[in-house]
């Protein structure tokens, strides 16, 4: 039987791909995720589910030479999300396959679109990997060490996998809730300076919310870049500023109206979700409370391994407290790095002199810690401890929210920064 190519639909799909595709970015070469075969003239069955489930199902159908099912699924997906770039790419390929075999995803696209196609192939691969290897929800993330009593949820971003995870505080134990595809910085992670187009690594906290009406009022026509809303996070944090890192405006935000989703690396440093998924995630966010932990890759632990890590970290904080309260100066100062500094600008030398004077004066105190949160993040797995500190002595009664940054130095955890915490 002779196949008739629907040239009008093919041209429409290709034009949509070109018009809606994001700007070209520098990328590494990508292996095509499937081998395309001529489309069969059969009525197919559309896979239903989330857009991500549908796009992966369509790719799987093409791989299995179930072209009619792929066609039906892509059509249903575009009816649901008419601005989904990757779905337009598959649609164009499927129409082109009526004329013969294609060797690679995007083989039907005109010359000169290589960078745009590479972005879409990267997105396809990221989504395929998520469906092929779902998160091990029976395991626990090593980076979420301990929730405070106020923290109902935590956000954990796996930059390498382009996934944002939501975990619930389940009686102190992180419980998987959901995960979503995200976009990170055009040039990856490890943000250092303003305008470097990288996403920071570390422990941050949601510090405000900007609704779409607020974005429109503030940014005018440019507000569409942020989609349905934005949740700024606390970059640069105290450690970032100590290390001279610059930049601002790192947000969790949505996508432009004409774009269902963006490539895995396409933002100026923000963490970007689709608009429907941001609307879902924002239900879990508490201003100045919810942690947003951004890591190169999540480390998954068994419950027993996680519990050992949790207990060891809490013991570390309590032994530090006990040494301070007992005025055991050698033990106490051994918890501090030689490169220590604090919020008042003191270094380890001035800090040692101050604490020595207090110990000699026998300024006995009772020190209690509560609402302790412990998270690890960043390139070197910095341990970030935040807690309410109640200090009572004859000379001083003080209650504050405090933060300590601990770095593992030659097998021992030592404090590199100490000061008041404005969030967390």
């Amino acid at each position: 039987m002779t196949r008739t190519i629907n040239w009008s639909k093919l041209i429409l799909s290709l034009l949509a791909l070109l018009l809606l595709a994001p700007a070209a970015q520098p990328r590494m070469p990508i292996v095509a995720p499937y081998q395309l075969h001529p489309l069969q003239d059969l009525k197919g069955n559309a896979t239903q589910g989330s857009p991500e489930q549908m796009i992966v199902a369509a790719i799987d159908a093409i791989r299995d030479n179930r072209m009619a099912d792929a066609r039906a699924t892509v059509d249903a997906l575009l009816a649901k999300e008419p601005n989904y770039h990757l779905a337009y790419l598959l649609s164009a390929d499927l129409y082109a396959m009526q004329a013969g075999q294609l060797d690679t995803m995007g083989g039907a696209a005109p010359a000169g679109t290589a960078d745009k196609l590479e972005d879409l192939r990267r997105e396809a691969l990221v989504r395929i990997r998520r469906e092929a290897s779902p998160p091990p929800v029976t395991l626990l993330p090593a980076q979420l060490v301990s929730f405070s009593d106020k923290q109902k949820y935590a956000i954990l971003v796996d930059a390498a996998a382009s996934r944002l995870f939501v975990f619930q505080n389940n009686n102190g134990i992180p419980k998987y809730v959901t995960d979503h595809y995200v976009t990170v910085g055009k040039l990856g992670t490890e943000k250092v300076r303003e305008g470097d187009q990288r996403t920071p690594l570390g422990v941050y906290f949601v510090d405000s919310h900007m609704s779409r009406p607020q974005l429109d009022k503030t940014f005018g026509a440019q507000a569409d870049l942020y989609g349905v809303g934005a949740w700024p996070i606390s970059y640069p944090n105290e450690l970032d500023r100590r290390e001279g890192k610059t930049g601002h405006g790192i947000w969790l935000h949505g996508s432009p109206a004409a774009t269902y989703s963006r490539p895995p690396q396409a933002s100026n440093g923000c963490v970007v979700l689709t608009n429907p998924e941001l609307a879902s995630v924002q239900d879990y966010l508490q201003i100045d409370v919810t942690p947003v932990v951004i890591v190169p890759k999540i480390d998954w632990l068994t419950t027993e391994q996680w519990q050992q890590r949790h207990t060891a970290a809490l013991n570390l904080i309590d032994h530090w407290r006990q040494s301070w309260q007992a005025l055991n100066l050698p033990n106490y100062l051994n918890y501090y790095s030689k490169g220590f500094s604090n919020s008042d600008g003191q270094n380890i030398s001035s800090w040692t002199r101050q604490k020595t004077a207090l110990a000699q004066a026998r300024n006995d105190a009772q020190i209690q810690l509560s609402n302790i949160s412990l998270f690890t993040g960043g390139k070197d797995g910095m341990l970030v401890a935040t807690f309410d500190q109640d200090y009572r002595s004859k000379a001083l009664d003080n209650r504050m929210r405090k933060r300590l940054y601990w770095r593992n130095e030659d097998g021992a955890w030592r404090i590199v920064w100490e000061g008041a915490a404005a969030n967390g």
Side-chain angles (χ1 to χ4, degrees), residues 332 336 340 342 346-355:
Y332 174 73
Y336 288 82
F340 168 79
N342 71 0
Q346 289 182 294
N347 59 22
I348 189 62
S349 297
S350 57
W351 184 255
T352 299
R353 289 195 299 270
Q354 177 184 331
K355 296 303 178 181

Side-chain angles (χ1 to χ4, degrees), residues 88-368:
Y88 272 109
L89 178 65
L90 296 188
S91 180
D93 280 346
L94 285 165
Y95 280 115
M97 279 188 287
Q98 292 181 259
Q101 180 171 317
L102 298 179
D103 293 327
T104 183
M105 175 182 285
T113 61
D115 288 336
K116 297 174 183 178
L117 291 174
E118 191 175 0
D119 279 338
L120 294 175
R121 289 173 186 146
R122 285 179 65 94
E123 180 180 345
L125 287 171
V126 165
R127 293 186 183 279
I128 289 168
R129 287 169 183 157
R130 163 59 179 82
E131 293 302 306
S133 300
V137 295
T138 59
L139 301 180
L140 303 178
Q143 287 86 354
L144 304 185
V145 183
S146 184
F147 290 89
S148 78
D149 296 339
K150 297 178 181 179
Q151 289 163 338
K152 298 178 181 179
Y153 298 93
I155 303 298
L156 181 57
V157 178
D158 185 323
S162 290
R163 304 299 299 190
L164 178 150
F165 292 79
V166 179
F167 287 91
Q168 183 181 12
N169 178 357
N170 184 30
N171 295 319
I173 300 173
K175 179 181 179 181
Y176 169 83
V177 177
T178 188
D179 66 284
H180 299 290
Y181 167 87
V182 293
T183 295
V184 296
K186 294 175 184 177
L187 297 182
T189 56
E190 299 182 42
K191 185 172 185 63
V192 173
R193 64 183 182 277
E194 177 83 21
D196 63 8
Q197 298 184 325
R198 293 179 180 273
T199 297
L201 297 175
V203 177
Y204 303 96
F205 297 89
V206 173
D207 62 15
S208 60
H209 174 226
M210 297 187 73
S211 66
R212 182 53 192 264
Q214 289 174 302
L215 290 168
D216 287 333
K217 184 177 180 179
T218 304
F219 298 103
Q222 293 184 338
D224 185 54
L225 174 65
Y226 309 109
V228 296
W231 293 79
I233 64 173
S234 57
Y235 175 87
N237 62 26
E238 299 93 346
L239 188 69
D240 294 327
R241 291 193 292 271
R242 174 187 183 273
E243 296 183 346
K245 295 181 181 180
T246 60
H248 67 284
I250 302 299
W251 300 352
L252 305 179
H253 67 76
S255 299
T259 306
Y260 172 71
S261 65
R262 298 172 65 183
Q265 290 181 215
S267 80
N268 288 326
C270 294
V271 176
V272 183
L273 297 94
T274 69
N275 288 323
E277 289 171 330
L278 178 68
S280 171
V281 167
Q282 66 187 13
D283 291 339
Y284 305 110
L285 304 180
Q286 299 168 268
I287 294 173
D288 288 336
V289 175
T290 303
V292 178
V293 182
I294 308 174
V295 297
K297 183 180 179 181
I298 296 175
D299 297 321
W300 298 97
L301 303 177
T302 65
T303 300
E304 181 180 2
Q305 290 171 327
W306 182 89
Q307 190 63 57
Q308 290 173 350
R309 182 178 173 87
H310 168 82
T311 301
L314 288 176
N315 286 341
L316 174 69
I317 303 302
D318 194 52
H319 290 162
W320 165 82
R321 179 197 66 82
Q322 290 179 32
S323 297
W324 183 15
Q325 180 172 278
L327 296 176
N328 186 335
L329 204 60
N331 282 358
Y332 174 73
L333 291 175
N334 192 48
Y335 285 111
Y336 288 82
S337 169
K338 292 181 180 179
F340 168 79
S341 64
N342 71 0
S343 54
D344 294 327
Q346 289 182 294
N347 59 22
I348 189 62
S349 297
S350 57
W351 184 255
T352 299
R353 289 195 299 270
Q354 177 184 331
K355 296 303 178 181
T356 300
L358 289 173
Q360 291 172 345
R362 300 302 303 172
N363 187 20
D364 295 337
Q366 292 296 312
I367 305 166
Q368 298 297 325

